[in-house]
Amino acid sequence: MLCKDPRGIKSVILGKGDITIEEFVSVARYGAEVQFSDEYCEKVKHSKSLLEKFLAENRIIYGVTTGFGDNVINVISPSDSVKLQTNIIRSHACAVGAPLEEELVRGIQLIQLLNTGLGYSGVSLKMLELIKNLLNKRVIPFAPGEGSVGYLGVEAQLSLVLLGEGKAWYKGELLEGGEALERAGLEPIVIECKEGLSLLNGTTSVTAIAVLTIYNAIQATKAADIAGALAYEAMQGTLKACDKRLIDRKKHIEQSRTAENLLSILKDSEIAKASMNLRVQDSLTIRPLPQIHGAVKRTLREAATSVVEEMNSCSDNPIIFPEDGDGIALMGGNFDGAYVGIHMDAACIAMANLAKLSEAKVDRLVNRHLSGYPAFLVKNPGLNNGYMIPQYTAAGLVGEIRVLSHPSTIDNVPTCASQEDPVSMAYYASKKAYEVSKKLEYILAIEIMTELQALDFINDLKLSTATQAVYDLVRKEVPTVEEDRYFYPDMEYIKALIHDGALVKCVESITGNLKF
């Protein structure tokens, strides 16, 4: 899983099969160009022609010739089909609060293209071309990110730009939607039959946020293995806890892979070799690393499978089937976000376990009663506070993660005159998981910063080749602490190394791919 660096992917072609997490991230985060295959275009055109046929025949189809939600009892004339679709975008654009980050907006737009481009939505190629051009020309719709029970509000807000309404950023400037299109050389469109519903429907925002979360989380688990190896050196722990004979007695492949990662990273460590028989067994900050990291990875692997499947699915309603005689529109519940939402709740819990273990290592290292090092890892404690307060920061972040790890999808508030009585609450499950993934990166950064400082007190034994490479990479911008200084830039630098994959890449250039 995660075999390619998304920064190296320059274009992604839709319609030639399922796309990967790395391809998604390459577009959403790093601006890779989106292209449509001939197969993609043909499927869209055929589905659109079928929907036009249904409309001409005045078939009763939800959201096409009926109102929305509890208004399903109201029949809509085919002559009002365009007005109906414009109305749903304008009326549903009720999200509030701060706007979503650029990569989240781009991710939602990409999911819109994937969802409706499978040939089951009846939308026009013209509309999808405009969304593609917004992505490729980096026109970023303004989309407030609060107030969704699963979908609709956020999607409507960013879809306003297709009408030349709402707001959007272009080249760093927030503009009226129509002006942003004009500056980018684009024109607004008239939203046609079913298109407004298809843009708003389904798990687009839920899934987009989840894909980026999973990418962050997988990178973080690999970084956690690296931090764990540093912890074994900094705490002079015994690698007997990673002995294959012991590890393989549990039939969890992720546990075995984690132990293999630790042993690979520390393969030629003089510190690890000298510490092998230093004590009978270590504290729980490092002894069960393979078990805890393995359990986290198992949960994230299952979440990733669910998210990738959803990313490449059609979550629209109704769905247009071209292969059933002269075609049929089926109304159902593919829009529901339970698959992704439940797994994002689980991902929060998994990442919380990784976070609490990481913070525990920081606490142990700065505590002179437990570490064997000077207080707070500074040579002149008292006058200097050293790494006293970064541990506070890590503890505070763990506290925030615990609150965010309360499951969202178990909650329910009926909507739409109880036509939508159970709602998924999956949007917030994904959104809070995304926030947890970023907080976890900071905690791991603080752990690595602390471990390297501890290792500066060990002068007579060498680090492993891999951990020495990490040491050299970090020390380019984060020097050893001799006396108190401003630590914020240090933490941000290491966090960036984790977030963009540079830390993992540094180690994998020596060990080969770390196992997940």
Side-chain angles (χ1 to χ4, degrees):
M1 196 167 284
L2 298 191
C3 298
K4 292 184 179 180
D5 184 345
R7 292 171 296 180
I9 300 172
K10 301 306 178 185
S11 68
V12 175
I13 302 174
L14 306 187
K16 287 187 173 293
D18 292 351
I19 74 165
T20 64
I21 292 174
E22 297 98 317
E23 288 174 318
F24 184 94
V25 173
S26 75
V27 174
R29 181 171 293 173
Y30 298 113
E33 183 182 52
V34 176
Q35 300 177 31
F36 295 161
S37 68
D38 291 340
E39 296 94 327
Y40 182 97
C41 296
E42 287 305 313
K43 286 180 181 178
V44 169
K45 290 176 182 177
H46 184 52
S47 180
K48 176 64 174 174
S49 67
L50 270 179
L51 187 65
E52 290 174 343
K53 177 178 180 290
F54 297 167
L55 188 64
E57 295 170 352
N58 203 18
R59 296 191 193 184
I60 299 300
I61 301 172
Y62 173 75
V64 176
T65 52
T66 76
F68 304 110
D70 190 50
N71 282 333
V72 67
I73 61 173
N74 298 303
V75 176
I76 306 298
S77 166
S79 63
D80 287 328
S81 62
V82 171
K83 181 66 173 175
L84 179 70
Q85 300 305 312
T86 303
N87 282 350
I88 190 175
I89 293 177
R90 288 173 176 162
S91 66
H92 285 48
C94 290
V96 297
L100 292 177
E101 296 176 30
E102 178 178 335
E103 68 175 33
L104 299 184
V105 173
R106 289 176 59 82
I108 295 169
Q109 290 175 307
L110 180 54
I111 293 289
Q112 286 178 326
L113 294 178
L114 291 167
N115 180 37
T116 58
L118 290 172
Y120 299 105
S121 293
V123 301
S124 68
L125 187 60
K126 181 178 181 181
M127 183 190 77
L128 300 183
E129 290 279 4
L130 180 54
I131 297 173
K132 180 186 74 172
N133 288 333
L134 292 179
L135 282 167
N136 291 342
K137 292 179 178 289
R138 300 195 81 108
V139 178
I140 313 301
F142 173 88
E146 298 177 25
S148 175
V149 299
Y151 53 97
L152 298 175
V154 173
E155 288 88 344
Q157 201 86 40
L158 62 87
S159 295
L160 283 171
V161 177
L162 302 177
L163 307 174
E165 301 174 13
K167 293 180 181 294
W169 281 274
Y170 183 63
K171 294 186 176 180
E173 187 176 356
L174 183 60
L175 306 165
E176 295 298 322
E179 185 177 356
L181 291 177
E182 184 178 356
R183 290 198 189 182
L186 303 172
E187 294 182 357
I189 59 171
V190 174
I191 296 294
E192 299 178 4
C193 178
K194 194 179 173 291
E195 292 182 345
L197 177 60
S198 289
L199 286 170
L200 276 55
N201 223 353
T203 63
T204 49
S205 58
V206 173
T207 305
I209 299 171
V211 177
L212 289 159
T213 299
I214 284 295
Y215 180 78
N216 289 350
I218 292 174
Q219 288 286 98
T221 60
K222 290 185 176 183
D225 284 356
I226 295 168
L230 287 166
Y232 264 101
E233 290 185 316
M235 296 180 186
Q236 299 176 64
T238 173
L239 283 173
K240 288 181 180 179
C242 295
D243 189 295
K244 181 175 174 59
R245 292 168 294 180
L246 182 155
I247 293 296
D248 286 354
R249 298 290 66 77
K250 272 200 169 186
K251 297 186 180 297
H252 302 301
I253 189 64
E254 296 84 5
Q255 174 172 313
S256 296
R257 289 169 178 168
T258 301
E260 289 173 23
N261 285 347
L262 292 169
L263 292 172
S264 176
I265 294 168
L266 295 172
K267 182 178 180 180
D268 57 350
S269 170
E270 291 184 1
I271 299 173
K273 184 177 180 180
S275 305
M276 189 68 76
N277 298 306
L278 193 61
R279 59 183 68 90
V280 174
Q281 64 179 24
D282 297 308
S283 73
L284 296 186
T285 49
I286 57 174
R287 183 166 23 117
L289 274 179
Q291 290 79 8
I292 296 173
H293 286 203
V296 170
K297 291 172 184 177
R298 168 65 65 87
T299 302
L300 293 176
R301 284 177 68 85
E302 293 173 354
T305 296
S306 185
V307 168
V308 170
E309 288 175 349
E310 189 75 26
M311 176 175 67
N312 290 292
S313 297
C314 180
S315 60
D316 203 354
N317 179 54
I319 288 180
I320 310 302
F321 281 92
E323 63 270 19
D324 195 326
D326 65 345
I328 188 172
L330 292 178
M331 279 63 79
N334 274 9
F335 54 80
D336 185 80
Y339 281 103
V340 175
I342 292 170
H343 278 101
M344 285 299 98
D345 278 339
C348 285
I349 294 170
M351 289 186 283
N353 276 272
L354 207 58
K356 76 175 186 182
L357 182 61
S358 178
E359 186 280 326
K361 294 200 286 290
V362 175
D363 179 59
R364 193 172 188 87
L365 282 169
V366 300
N367 186 338
R368 64 183 175 86
H369 302 289
L370 299 174
S371 69
Y373 294 115
F376 308 111
L377 298 175
V378 68
K379 290 181 179 178
N380 190 6
L383 177 62
N384 292 300
N385 296 290
Y387 281 141
M388 178 193 295
I389 304 305
Q391 185 266 329
Y392 283 42
T393 304
L397 290 169
V398 169
E400 293 173 17
I401 287 174
R402 284 173 180 156
V403 173
L404 291 170
S405 294
H406 173 81
S408 176
T409 53
I410 63 173
D411 292 332
N412 188 58
V413 180
T415 59
C416 201
S418 283
Q419 171 75 6
E420 299 165 1
D421 34 1
V423 293
S424 70
M425 294 295 182
Y427 174 80
Y428 189 58
S430 287
K431 191 179 177 188
K432 66 188 180 67
Y434 180 71
E435 292 303 316
V436 168
S437 74
K438 294 193 290 184
K439 294 178 190 296
L440 174 59
E441 290 172 343
Y442 278 115
I443 295 169
L444 291 171
I446 293 169
E447 179 189 344
I448 290 169
M449 180 177 73
T450 306
E451 289 161 348
L452 296 186
Q453 180 74 8
L455 288 168
D456 279 326
F457 289 96
I458 302 176
N459 299 315
D460 53 337
L461 296 170
K462 292 181 179 180
L463 282 66
S464 76
T465 303
T467 54
Q468 183 65 52
V470 172
Y471 183 95
D472 295 340
L473 177 65
V474 173
R475 285 286 181 253
K476 288 179 181 178
E477 297 291 336
V478 181
T480 300
V481 176
E482 301 292 347
E483 58 183 23
D484 284 348
R485 64 167 186 265
Y486 182 40
F487 291 128
Y488 173 79
D490 299 347
M491 294 183 287
E492 287 289 340
Y493 172 72
I494 303 172
K495 184 261 187 186
L497 294 178
I498 295 170
H499 185 72
D500 68 10
L503 181 79
V504 171
K505 193 173 183 179
C506 169
V507 170
E508 289 185 335
S509 68
I510 297 165
T511 63
N513 288 339
L514 295 176
K515 297 179 179 180
F516 174 72

